[in-house]
Amino acid sequence: MDSIVFVTKSNNNFYKLEIAKTLLHFIEYDFTYFWEQCLDLGRTSRKLGSYSSTSFRAVKSLITKCHPYYEAQINSDFEHIALDCLIEYICHSEGIGLEELWTRCISPKNAYEKALFTRISEYKTNRAINQWANLMRIQEYARAKLSYIFDGDVTTKEMYNVRKGYFDLAFSVMAKELGFPSSELPSVKCYNASLMPNSAFMVSRVSKLILKKINPIIDEVEDLSYSRNVNRDCMRDQMSLDAFTFLRGLKRPDGMELEASRETFGNLGTEYYLPDCFKAIIDLEFDKMIDAGIFLQKCPKCEKYFFVDINYKGKFCNRVNATGKTCREQYEHEKYIEEEQPPLSNDLETRCQILYAALSNKVGDDFKEQEFKEWSQYLENMRENVKTDAATEEDLEAFLEYSEKMCKEVKSKPAARVIRSDNVEKMPPPVRKRESERPEPRAYHFPTLEELDRKYR
């Protein structure tokens, strides 16, 4: 599986992202348990009037594996996501806005209310956003974009690229019309290992060797000054070339320095990406996925996406479901039964239809509707068992004979409770349709905030 490596400004680590696989994992990720733990912690904190940062840090770690970007930013952007989740729940469950909750805690009586007040104050001053709500919206965005590009029949790389381009351009046009500055919208920068913003620390082994070599030059440099309050874009070339001026005549590494450099750069990749937000890396993964020719298709059975196999022209995935078979195997099995098993003989099929119509007309005081439903289900199971060789046509004929006698009994009696009589044999025990497979599970439904709120209110 193709992958990329990205970095963030908040730490000096490298993070690997497996193209398409990471995206599928994220859109299918279930955050319900995290939500429940946040609410339990919130109830305890409210009851005790305390706030344990250690407990909230432990809860935020429950979803570390939802996406590499979350892992990278867990101690920066997502530092207070458990508290964000709690704030979101309070507002939804009590039907209040952030302003009202902030006002309620403006004179905090305990550490719990102080934590709420401080966090909401960060929202109000644009120093933070509710990262729990943001995470849910990012997941919704990823699902919507995936559906827009890949739902429907498999098509060409060109068409997938057109769909992606149209989706992204629609976003850009909408953002422009709403007045959002393009310079502040999500973006990703690409660097080589040596020109990353924190490369001096991330490639520290070679950096230390270089520093030893250039220290004498630095000691002779007079203090440089530049204005930090002007437009930095116009200063980029000037600052860069000022730094380059003192590197003129830099000699190539040799000896131990050369070997250390060779080993270090040999283990580094050629491209490193720096996304400035979560949406940016989601968009980057879509771009890389289509560039690499990795396409997805939605399985009609389990309704999950799977990687398109160019040698497979069907629509079903190879995930093993609750039946113990893959969706593809289950479809082939059902298709075989439908196409290969012989149908009932015309005489038996006709008898079944006539008897069904006759008994359905007798439903009323003499023949309860529930009794008719049980009988019709029994008949249907018998018919299916004959088709799949779980029963014989003789078994079905015996049941039809019994049912025809029952039909006559119902007709001949003027009062209720005339279905059975002493001169009619007892109805055989119910026949259950042979279950060679467990029932197909329903597609998982990711609960919304409102649904979870109703469940735990």
Side-chain angles (χ1 to χ4, degrees):
M1 178 65 66
D2 292 349
S3 63
I4 60 174
V5 178
F6 71 93
V7 297
T8 65
K9 294 180 179 179
S10 62
N11 60 53
N12 297 329
N13 298 319
F14 297 98
Y15 295 90
K16 184 179 180 181
L17 184 152
E18 292 183 282
I19 299 171
K21 183 178 179 180
T22 301
L23 182 66
L24 286 181
H25 175 73
F26 178 63
I27 67 169
E28 295 173 359
Y29 198 89
D30 182 12
F31 292 94
T32 305
Y33 181 69
F34 170 78
W35 168 271
E36 292 170 345
Q37 294 304 303
C38 287
L39 300 195
D40 287 344
L41 183 57
R43 294 187 188 102
T44 302
S45 299
R46 183 175 184 177
K47 182 178 180 180
L48 299 177
S50 62
Y51 177 79
S52 170
S53 56
T54 302
S55 298
F56 276 84
R57 278 197 299 271
V59 171
K60 77 177 181 180
S61 299
L62 294 175
I63 54 173
T64 301
K65 299 303 180 183
C66 73
H67 196 281
Y69 186 80
Y70 178 88
E71 182 181 2
Q73 298 292 90
I74 192 170
N75 293 320
S76 52
D77 289 355
F78 299 104
E79 171 69 22
H80 302 290
I81 190 171
L83 184 59
D84 292 338
C85 182
L86 180 59
I87 291 172
E88 184 80 2
Y89 170 74
I90 294 172
C91 292
H92 274 79
S93 62
E94 299 185 18
I96 61 176
L98 280 173
E99 191 69 29
E100 184 174 343
L101 181 58
W102 181 77
T103 303
R104 182 190 299 177
C105 300
I106 201 167
S107 298
K109 303 179 184 64
N110 49 50
Y112 168 74
E113 292 188 358
K114 182 178 181 181
L116 296 178
F117 175 78
T118 301
R119 187 59 176 167
I120 299 174
S121 296
E122 291 176 346
Y123 300 164
K124 292 169 65 68
T125 55
N126 294 325
R127 288 180 291 153
I129 63 172
N130 187 308
Q131 288 292 354
W132 163 250
N134 183 53
L135 187 61
M136 294 297 95
R137 295 176 73 187
I138 289 293
Q139 190 183 48
E140 179 187 6
Y141 170 80
R143 288 176 185 162
K145 188 168 183 177
L146 189 68
S147 175
Y148 190 91
I149 297 173
F150 293 110
D151 276 10
D153 294 334
V154 176
T155 184
T156 63
K157 179 177 181 179
E158 179 186 13
M159 184 54 65
Y160 288 132
N161 209 37
V162 168
R163 292 175 184 173
K164 177 182 67 70
Y166 190 91
F167 185 94
D168 289 342
L169 185 58
F171 164 80
S172 298
V173 172
M174 178 61 73
K176 181 180 184 302
E177 292 303 310
L178 292 174
F180 298 148
S182 58
S183 61
E184 297 180 20
L185 291 175
S187 63
V188 180
K189 294 180 180 179
C190 181
Y191 299 91
N192 66 43
S194 301
L195 291 178
M196 294 183 296
N198 293 338
S199 58
F201 304 101
M202 301 178 78
V203 194
S204 58
R205 183 183 178 187
V206 179
S207 297
K208 291 175 182 177
L209 296 175
I210 294 174
L211 186 59
K212 289 180 180 179
K213 180 179 290 188
I214 66 174
N215 261 331
I217 301 175
I218 295 175
D219 291 340
E220 296 178 1
V221 176
E222 297 180 0
D223 291 338
L224 294 176
S225 62
Y226 63 93
S227 175
R228 298 178 181 271
N229 299 319
V230 298
N231 183 353
R232 299 292 291 276
D233 289 340
C234 69
M235 301 289 292
R236 295 184 193 278
D237 280 342
Q238 180 176 325
M239 290 186 293
S240 300
L241 297 177
D242 283 348
F244 167 71
T245 299
F246 300 99
L247 286 178
R248 288 174 178 170
L250 179 68
K251 295 181 179 180
R252 295 174 181 171
D254 56 13
M256 182 189 72
E257 186 179 5
L258 176 61
E259 289 304 315
S261 301
R262 179 183 297 169
E263 180 181 350
T264 299
F265 289 112
N267 294 327
L268 292 173
T270 57
E271 291 182 336
Y272 292 87
Y273 296 90
L274 176 62
D276 54 18
C277 66
F278 210 147
K279 177 186 177 296
I281 200 164
I282 293 292
D283 289 333
L284 175 65
E285 188 170 0
F286 275 107
D287 293 343
K288 293 297 181 180
M289 182 166 57
I290 294 179
D291 287 346
I294 303 173
F295 309 135
L296 301 175
Q297 187 175 358
K298 191 173 185 179
C299 176
K301 277 199 172 296
C302 65
E303 297 187 342
K304 294 182 179 180
Y305 291 91
F306 65 97
F307 299 108
V308 173
D309 182 351
I310 59 175
N311 297 319
Y312 174 63
K313 303 303 180 184
K315 298 182 179 180
F316 299 90
C317 70
N318 269 328
R319 279 192 178 97
V320 177
N321 55 40
T323 67
K325 295 184 175 69
T326 66
C327 292
R328 193 174 300 179
E329 291 171 342
Q330 186 181 359
Y331 168 73
E332 295 296 336
H333 176 70
E334 293 172 352
K335 184 179 179 182
Y336 169 78
I337 291 177
E338 181 179 345
E339 294 179 353
E340 300 298 329
Q341 296 300 322
L344 295 178
S345 64
N346 290 336
D347 290 343
L348 280 177
E349 190 66 52
T350 301
R351 284 178 68 185
C352 290
Q353 294 175 4
I354 292 175
L355 192 55
Y356 183 92
L359 283 175
S360 65
N361 290 332
K362 294 178 181 292
V363 174
D365 294 337
D366 295 342
F367 190 28
K368 303 299 183 184
E369 183 176 359
Q370 182 60 34
E371 293 175 318
F372 175 72
K373 288 181 178 179
E374 292 175 358
W375 174 86
S376 60
Q377 183 61 55
Y378 189 101
L379 174 65
E380 181 61 27
N381 289 347
M382 283 292 296
R383 293 173 71 251
E384 290 298 319
N385 286 349
V386 171
K387 291 181 179 180
T388 58
D389 290 331
T392 64
E393 290 192 352
E394 287 76 14
D395 295 331
L396 178 58
E397 287 179 350
F399 173 68
L400 291 177
E401 288 176 4
Y402 161 79
S403 300
E404 287 165 351
K405 290 180 181 179
M406 181 183 69
C407 186
K408 291 178 181 179
E409 285 293 321
V410 173
K411 182 178 180 181
S412 63
K413 294 287 184 177
R417 304 183 63 82
V418 296
I419 298 176
R420 300 188 180 105
S421 63
D422 294 337
N423 61 343
V424 178
E425 61 208 70
K426 292 184 179 180
M427 186 174 183
V431 175
R432 295 186 178 180
K433 182 180 178 182
R434 185 180 65 173
E435 295 291 345
S436 59
E437 303 168 346
R438 285 173 285 175
E440 172 66 15
R442 293 178 298 174
Y444 181 73
H445 168 67
F446 289 86
T448 62
L449 292 177
E450 289 76 7
E451 290 170 341
L452 288 170
D453 176 42
R454 288 195 297 271
K455 180 178 178 181
Y456 296 105
R457 180 175 295 179

